[in-house]
Amino acid sequence: MNCLPGDTDVLLSHGRRRRIEGLWDRFEDESAVVATGDDAVASDIRLFTMSKPETVYEVETETGDTVEATADHPFKTADGMVELDDLEEGDDVYLHPFEGLQDETPPEFTLLDESDFEEENPQLVRALKDRDLLPLKSTDEAFNRLLKLVGYHTGDGSFSGNQSWFYGEPKDLERIQEDIAAIGFDPSRIYERERNHEIDGNSFERVEYSARSTAKSFRKLLVKLGAPEGRKVESGFTAPEYLDRLADWQKALYLSTFFGAEMSAPDTVSAKNFYAPSVSHNRLVAERDAGETFLRDLMTHLNDLGISTNALEEVERTETTVGETVRFRFGISTDPDNLIRFFTTVGYRYAREKQKEAIAATQYLKHKERVIDARARIAEEARALADGGVAPKEIKKRFDINDRFVERSLYGERDGRPRPPADFPDYDEYRDETIVQDDLSVTAEVVDIAERGEKPVYDIGVTHDAHNFVADGFVVSNCGVRMVKTNLTYEDVRGRERELVDALFDAVPTGLGGGGIVQADSDTMGDILEYGVEWAVENGYGIESDLDHCEDEGRRPDARPEFVSQKAKDRGRNQVGSLGSGNHFLEVQRVTDTYREEVADAFGLQEDQIVVLIHCGSRGLGHQTCTDYLRDIEQEHADLLESLPDTELAAAPAGSELAHEYYGAMCAAINFAWVNRQLIMHRTREVFGDVFDADPVEDLDMELLYDVAHNIAKRETHDVDGEDRELFVHRKGATRAFPAGHEEVPAAYRDVGQPVIIPGSMGAGSYVLRGGENSMDVSFGSTAHGAGRLMSRTAAKQEYWGGDVQDDLEEQNEIYVKAESGATIAEEAPGVYKDVDEVVRVSDALGIGDKVARTYPVCNIKG
């Protein structure tokens, strides 16, 4: 459960970062940034752990971002959280490039007290005191929010009477509302109105959005902290003097919101190079000195943060209705490292779209600089080889780069650093293919994973349901099930549980990474993806009746192996017949109860009988296939994704070529998953035969009850408003539950309904149902596919210790569990899951899945 070395930076609230080892004495008072998909929010840290040295691995991306973590540390990917040991070069992980500034405790001093409000109504003072805003100190949490509000209001706010107005885009105004509310005031709703504007003789209309606070005490507070009153162009305000005394990260709060309101967004001056993001500021000539001082103050504060600026310019003077004005301007120096530092440490708060553009620009610049650095190293090595007497012709052969580049390096035809290669994408091309999430995260390709030795490791837990946090810029926290019957009873197994669990653990490959029962070559992979369980039976890994008792007879005829990428095939090649990790398991169970005797008889189930439940899916092949097509969908149908309420609903439009290809690839992955479970069942039969010295089929009657797929989409015909329609039915967290009489239910069960298997936790048991008579009308022939989690894997590892869970299950429940690691057992502790009895009760009550039998674990192996 301890994953990160001590020098890993964790992103905290208010744009601070701190080494994880430095949180140990203060974690309960801290909040870490959680990337929720919709936003980046601060969440209280509720747990901190540290442990002895463990082996860590460094993950490096194409943008040069790196982080070290243990093999079981989960990284956020487009397919959810994936443990490091299951990542490969070429996979995409989510980064959160905004890194913030080093955390430091601000010098404590009083900014405002009652003496600053002597001339105000006592009721106003009381309002501030009631909200703990008087006295106001530099170390107060409320002050950090006020810094942002003052900075933004200085740029894009106004006062009208006692009202404090803020102008911006609705999403940004929502953040402002949250901060106003957090310090104790009631913000208004967001208003909108049409406004007419004229610039250089051109008239146009735009919608203006705004929010306000009507509290006089709030208005006075902003003014006392430096927000200018009256028309800003006529004012003599400068930057607040107290900024000089603050911690760097606090200065950035004020600067970033002012820049969010007033600074230009990142933009390119040429195909691959950026303009200097700039701030323009107007004052009446009478207030010229104050205006110049204000901008020079901002420049000085940026310089103090290590960010270089261009020279301050007096751009123009203009006659206006209030007099002659002067316009000043300065910009951020366009050196790539300088722009990256600005975008990732200050940026544009309360300006989501600008900040998202800054994130995209950051990743582009990082990638570009990484490529240029590589070319510079080649140039230097080429010159060194030439100095050592190696002929130019030989030098050219040593590098995978065009000959002209080597020649220019050798003969001094280049001034300064190399340019990126001609095929390096322009920023517009890059931007079209790059999606920055609303939480400011973006994917990057993993280019290297390397072992870095043993180091003490640490972990934290947050209260937010997303259960992730940002570490060194990384966001870090298809299956089915089949049941095999036997003629053994619980008494036959009692006393041999440990022997059985050890034998199964030795025989069935488990855990992350490679290792399967079959090592498949290219032809074999093609046959598995196309023919499914038919291939397994033909090759001696099953019996004919297995086909009769499997959903779709173990083969999706729509499978198109050619639409599965070579990378996905390579990942699955050595995983055919393996459990994987997480909630995948092989469990020996006993039937404890039967409910509908005639159906139980048809299924061949009776009380005290031993059965085996196998839950696993398509392993790395399915994960990679999903990742491949999700990337294509994001590129080809970005407009559709933007219209969806949640990016997790990403899909290709039905009827499109991409949808056709993805469906064919998914069906192939389903065939792979069926074969995976088939081979595990085959090996399980062999183990039972060895342990009980009997033929598993002839003597032990080890026949497949049913195999039902989870988490798939299928083309089916359903009655919709009295009309039969062909639909794509997506069963995510669900499973098929067709009723008696349905033509797609295997003949052996058609009279009673399709078997449905609902796994519970390894301490609570599982259920066998049959498709209910209401399922087609209520749920498109579906019911739940399991108990469902109550907490994430990360939270589970924080709550439970694997060894304790294992001991408790054995001592209190007589359940024997074996896994690759204690962390896996902790992730799957009984308390992590919902009450399977209640899940099944609801299904039964709705008539979509009727109870047939209940089973209880005897022994269990996990990856």
Side-chain angles (χ1 to χ4, degrees):
M1 61 184 293
N2 305 299
C3 302
L4 301 165
D7 59 356
T8 305
D9 278 332
V10 176
L11 185 61
L12 305 174
S13 59
H14 301 308
R16 299 169 296 132
R17 67 174 186 267
R18 177 176 282 268
R19 288 186 172 188
I20 193 169
E21 64 184 355
L23 290 171
W24 73 272
D25 62 343
R26 56 185 292 178
F27 74 91
E28 292 176 320
D29 300 321
E30 280 293 0
S31 298
V33 170
V34 174
T36 69
D38 296 325
D39 203 355
V41 300
S43 176
D44 291 343
I45 299 175
R46 67 178 181 183
L47 181 70
F48 177 91
T49 64
M50 58 182 127
S51 75
K52 64 183 186 304
E54 293 186 28
T55 301
V56 298
Y57 301 82
E58 183 181 70
V59 179
E60 183 177 8
T61 69
E62 62 188 338
T63 50
D65 296 284
T66 62
V67 68
E68 292 181 358
T70 53
D72 60 351
H73 189 68
F75 286 73
K76 186 177 181 181
T77 72
D79 200 34
M81 286 294 180
V82 175
E83 293 185 354
L84 188 157
D85 202 32
D86 217 21
L87 290 174
E88 295 183 352
E89 294 178 16
D91 287 348
D92 285 343
V93 294
Y94 272 101
L95 301 178
H96 189 278
F98 186 83
E99 62 186 42
L101 290 160
Q102 197 64 43
D103 185 28
E104 56 179 322
T105 302
E108 184 172 329
F109 59 93
T110 299
L111 292 125
L112 298 172
D113 59 23
E114 288 188 51
S115 66
D116 294 292
F117 297 86
E118 286 179 344
E119 299 179 1
E120 302 298 334
N121 187 310
Q123 187 175 350
L124 183 150
V125 175
R126 186 162 53 253
L128 294 176
K129 292 179 70 174
D130 288 346
R131 294 171 170 83
D132 291 326
L133 296 172
L134 278 185
L136 182 66
K137 295 187 177 182
S138 58
T139 52
D140 290 345
E141 171 68 14
F143 175 58
N144 298 323
R145 298 180 187 274
L146 284 164
L147 277 168
K148 292 189 288 180
L149 293 168
V150 170
Y152 191 86
H153 194 276
T154 299
D156 215 348
S158 68
F159 294 117
S160 176
N162 291 330
Q163 299 176 358
S164 306
W165 287 89
F166 297 83
Y167 306 93
E169 294 301 315
K171 285 289 186 182
D172 303 320
L173 291 173
E174 288 175 11
R175 304 288 85 77
I176 291 172
Q177 290 174 314
E178 290 170 4
D179 280 334
I180 292 173
I183 60 175
F185 296 96
D186 294 325
S188 73
R189 64 179 176 88
I190 294 175
Y191 301 96
E192 64 175 279
R193 63 172 178 168
E194 294 283 348
R195 295 294 303 270
N196 295 315
H197 297 271
E198 183 174 326
I199 297 178
D200 296 331
N202 297 315
S203 298
F204 62 94
E205 289 186 352
R206 64 182 293 268
V207 178
E208 178 187 82
Y209 299 95
S210 58
R212 66 178 178 173
S213 167
T214 58
K216 183 178 181 180
S217 54
F218 179 71
R219 179 193 190 282
K220 283 295 181 182
L221 192 59
L222 295 185
V223 171
K224 292 290 186 182
L225 289 173
E229 294 186 278
R231 298 189 61 180
K232 294 166 191 170
V233 70
E234 302 174 5
S235 175
F237 75 91
T238 58
E241 293 182 0
Y242 56 75
L243 290 179
D244 290 327
R245 304 172 63 186
L246 300 181
D248 285 349
W249 59 267
Q250 290 181 306
K251 294 179 186 178
L253 294 176
Y254 176 92
L255 294 171
S256 63
T257 52
F258 179 77
F259 295 149
E262 294 295 303
M263 183 174 277
S264 62
D267 197 6
T268 49
V269 65
S270 63
K272 296 179 175 67
N273 298 301
F274 286 83
Y275 280 111
S278 61
V279 169
S280 295
H281 187 71
N282 296 323
R283 294 287 180 98
L284 289 177
V285 170
E287 301 296 341
R288 180 193 181 285
D289 290 347
E292 179 178 353
T293 298
F294 175 62
L295 289 194
R296 289 196 183 280
D297 285 345
L298 301 187
M299 294 166 65
T300 298
H301 292 310
L302 283 169
N303 298 160
D304 290 343
L305 301 181
I307 298 166
S308 300
T309 58
N310 298 328
L312 182 66
E313 302 175 284
E314 183 177 315
V315 182
E316 62 182 1
R317 296 193 177 208
T318 306
E319 285 292 339
T320 70
T321 55
V322 294
E324 185 181 11
T325 63
V326 57
R327 182 158 68 98
F328 296 100
R329 182 177 64 199
F330 79 85
I332 305 299
S333 173
T334 57
D335 172 79
D337 289 340
N338 189 65
L339 284 177
I340 290 170
R341 179 163 177 80
F342 172 72
F343 292 148
T344 61
T345 61
V346 178
Y348 308 85
R349 285 184 176 89
Y350 294 155
R352 179 77 62 83
E353 291 306 312
K354 287 183 184 179
Q355 188 71 324
K356 288 171 70 173
E357 200 63 42
I359 294 302
T362 293
Q363 296 305 95
Y364 179 80
L365 288 169
K366 284 181 180 179
H367 193 192
K368 176 184 166 186
E369 290 304 296
R370 182 180 171 85
V371 170
I372 291 174
D373 285 345
R375 289 165 68 84
R377 285 193 296 273
I378 290 174
E380 184 177 350
E381 291 175 19
R383 287 191 293 269
L385 289 170
D387 291 343
V390 180
K393 183 177 181 180
E394 292 300 317
I395 295 174
K396 293 175 183 178
K397 292 180 180 179
R398 297 196 184 193
F399 300 106
D400 184 19
I401 201 165
N402 67 76
D403 291 350
R404 179 60 181 150
F405 179 85
V406 176
E407 291 170 0
R408 294 190 67 192
S409 302
L410 295 180
Y411 303 125
E413 298 179 21
R414 181 186 304 110
D415 293 327
R417 300 177 72 218
R419 292 192 296 270
D423 61 353
F424 190 81
D426 295 346
Y427 180 68
D428 287 345
E429 296 171 340
Y430 172 85
R431 194 65 183 92
D432 286 343
E433 297 180 358
T434 302
I435 297 176
V436 180
Q437 304 292 319
D438 285 341
D439 61 13
L440 305 183
S441 64
V442 62
T443 58
E445 183 178 320
V446 174
V447 296
D448 189 48
I449 301 174
E451 185 175 335
R452 291 291 182 254
E454 290 193 347
K455 298 182 180 181
V457 288
Y458 305 78
D459 200 6
I460 60 173
V462 296
T463 57
H464 196 281
D465 289 342
H467 295 298
N468 68 53
F469 61 98
V470 178
D472 280 349
F474 289 72
V475 182
V476 295
S477 277
N478 173 303
C479 63
V481 62
R482 66 170 48 193
M483 179 173 282
V484 185
K485 300 178 290 184
T486 79
N487 60 17
L488 296 168
T489 66
Y490 184 41
E491 285 302 313
D492 295 325
V493 174
R494 292 198 71 171
R496 309 187 72 173
E497 296 95 339
R498 190 174 299 281
E499 177 188 3
L500 190 57
V501 78
D502 287 343
L504 288 169
F505 194 80
D506 290 341
V508 178
T510 59
L512 297 168
I517 292 170
V518 170
Q519 303 298 308
D521 58 22
S522 295
D523 290 342
T524 301
M525 277 298 294
D527 289 344
I528 289 171
L529 294 174
E530 183 169 359
Y531 299 109
V533 179
E534 288 181 13
W535 170 89
V537 173
E538 288 178 4
N539 285 272
Y541 298 107
I543 56 179
E544 285 295 326
S545 64
D546 293 341
L547 298 172
D548 299 331
H549 297 153
C550 190
E551 182 176 339
D552 296 333
E553 297 183 334
R555 181 189 178 190
R556 290 296 303 152
D558 295 328
R560 298 290 299 273
E562 65 270 27
F563 294 148
V564 178
S565 71
Q566 188 59 48
K567 182 174 182 180
K569 293 174 182 175
D570 289 342
R571 291 187 68 171
R573 192 185 306 279
N574 65 342
Q575 294 182 335
V576 188
S578 60
L579 270 182
S581 62
N583 65 336
H584 295 161
F585 62 83
L586 186 157
E587 189 168 86
V588 178
Q589 305 174 330
R590 59 188 172 100
V591 178
T592 58
D593 302 276
T594 56
Y595 303 99
R596 289 172 168 83
E597 293 302 326
E598 74 283 0
V599 183
D601 288 343
F603 286 178
L605 297 176
Q606 57 187 353
E607 291 184 11
D608 212 37
Q609 178 183 1
I610 292 296
V611 295
V612 181
L613 197 62
I614 300 169
H615 180 211
C616 63
S618 52
R619 297 297 318 272
L621 180 138
H623 176 272
Q624 186 64 49
T625 299
C626 178
T627 299
D628 291 339
Y629 279 94
L630 184 61
R631 187 180 301 162
D632 291 342
I633 289 167
E634 289 175 342
Q635 292 177 2
E636 291 194 26
H637 300 291
D639 53 341
L640 173 62
L641 267 62
E642 289 178 0
S643 69
L644 296 174
D646 191 323
T647 55
E648 295 294 324
L649 297 173
S656 68
E657 183 63 26
L658 186 56
H660 169 69
E661 293 180 3
Y662 179 44
Y663 188 69
M666 184 200 65
C667 288
I670 295 169
N671 286 345
F672 182 94
W674 274 323
V675 171
N676 191 34
R677 293 192 288 276
Q678 179 72 28
L679 265 62
I680 293 172
M681 182 177 74
H682 174 74
R683 186 61 61 84
T684 300
R685 282 170 168 160
E686 292 181 334
V687 168
F688 269 73
D690 292 341
V691 170
F692 295 100
D693 193 24
D695 184 281
V697 177
E698 298 296 329
D699 298 330
L700 301 181
D701 292 340
M702 292 190 73
E703 291 198 344
L704 178 63
L705 168 65
Y706 197 59
D707 183 304
V708 60
H710 292 171
N711 297 339
I712 63 170
K714 298 180 76 171
R715 187 187 285 114
E716 298 174 356
T717 299
H718 289 267
D719 184 316
V720 180
D721 298 330
E723 179 184 350
D724 283 346
R725 293 184 58 189
E726 187 176 72
L727 308 172
F728 284 102
V729 180
H730 295 249
R731 294 187 175 96
K732 176 67 176 174
T735 191
R736 200 176 78 171
F738 284 175
H742 196 288
E743 61 183 10
E744 292 189 44
V745 176
Y749 306 125
R750 196 166 297 158
D751 290 343
V752 293
Q754 173 208 309
V756 179
I757 304 164
I758 308 292
S761 76
M762 58 187 174
S766 302
Y767 280 86
V768 179
L769 314 182
R770 61 98 174 256
E773 63 179 10
N774 296 333
S775 69
M776 302 304 290
D777 297 329
V778 173
S779 58
F780 293 95
S782 310
T783 190
H785 87 326
R789 299 184 71 91
L790 286 169
M791 65 176 71
S792 70
R793 302 188 192 287
T794 301
K797 288 190 288 186
Q798 294 162 355
E799 183 77 17
Y800 298 99
W801 185 257
D804 293 342
V805 174
Q806 190 175 27
D807 292 343
D808 288 346
L809 287 170
E810 181 175 345
E811 294 169 6
Q812 299 175 20
N813 304 80
E814 295 186 328
I815 300 170
Y816 296 80
V817 178
K818 192 164 186 176
E820 286 284 348
S821 71
T824 299
I825 296 175
E827 289 174 0
E828 299 300 309
V832 167
Y833 284 88
K834 298 174 186 175
D835 182 352
V836 69
D837 297 333
E838 179 62 14
V839 172
V840 170
R841 185 196 66 77
V842 172
S843 180
D844 188 85
L846 290 172
I848 59 176
D850 304 330
K851 288 196 299 185
V852 176
R854 188 179 190 276
T855 63
Y856 192 75
V858 175
C859 58
N860 178 300
I861 69 169
K862 289 184 173 291

